Amino acid sequence: MHAVILPATPLLVPGMAPGLRTDPLAGVRAAVAAALAGLTDGGRVPLVLAHGRALRHGRMRPSLAGSGIDDRWLPGSPPGAGRHSGAAWSWRDEIRPVAGTGASVALLALADVLGDRVAEVEVLEVPPSWPGPLAGPDPLLRDAAGLVVAGGGVPGGLDSDPGTLTDGVRAALRAAGADGWTPQVQVFAQSHDHLPPEYRVTVLA
């Protein structure tokens, strides 16, 4: 298994759909967890690949503030701060740069699988224009012990399909060798008025 492409919607994070009677993404979340468990089998720590406004690489902390969700409601928030206190994400590196929404959803999904080892995960955010003058992450992508790819278009863009990959993310996948990988896609149809028609979880093996 080389990569997992997950729908990087904040609804993938437990408790982020409080107005709904049932959890619409429970099945998607279970499929993501199973795929990530396979990707991290044997102690592998993958690289998170996501859209970003600019090329960035390093260890980052998750935040959904860009989607209007206060950090105190995230899994692993400081004790007493919210209903998800005590989960795997330790938040012990508050000086880390804040990841974008897509990378943050991927980090939080990995926290459920890796526990405290999620602190070792590095993030690569690429803009839609990548590769360009700063096209330097090719060795990083080729040497990664697996990729967790945040699906979804440019925030606020015309294509909001959760399965969309920006041009930069597609280019990064090609740089990692994905043209030779075989996709295995699980499709989860949705019927709620405010959700996309479907969510997809893709494993590249």
Side-chain angles (χ1 to χ4, degrees), residues 45-46 48 58-60 107 110 114 117-123:
V45 177
V48 168
R59 294 183 179 180
M60 304 181 191
L107 285 170
L110 274 168
L114 289 175
R117 291 196 68 202
V118 73
E120 303 172 26
V121 174
E122 295 188 349
V123 173

Side-chain angles (χ1 to χ4, degrees), residues 25-133:
L25 266 68
V28 181
R29 192 177 303 112
V32 167
L36 293 181
L39 186 68
T40 58
D41 188 38
R44 295 193 300 169
V45 177
L47 174 73
V48 168
L49 172 63
H51 161 75
R53 293 181 179 179
L55 184 65
R56 293 197 303 164
H57 167 241
R59 294 183 179 180
M60 304 181 191
R61 67 177 180 88
S63 173
L64 298 180
S67 298
I69 299 170
D70 194 289
D71 285 349
R72 74 176 185 271
W73 298 111
L74 296 186
S77 54
R83 61 174 173 263
H84 292 299
S85 300
W89 183 264
S90 67
W91 293 76
R92 60 177 172 263
D93 291 300
E94 292 292 340
I95 62 171
R96 291 184 180 194
V98 175
T101 297
S104 293
V105 172
L107 285 170
L108 291 165
L110 274 168
D112 288 339
V113 176
L114 289 175
D116 286 342
R117 291 196 68 202
V118 73
E120 303 172 26
V121 174
E122 295 188 349
V123 173
L124 174 63
E125 292 184 339
V126 293
S129 58
W130 192 85

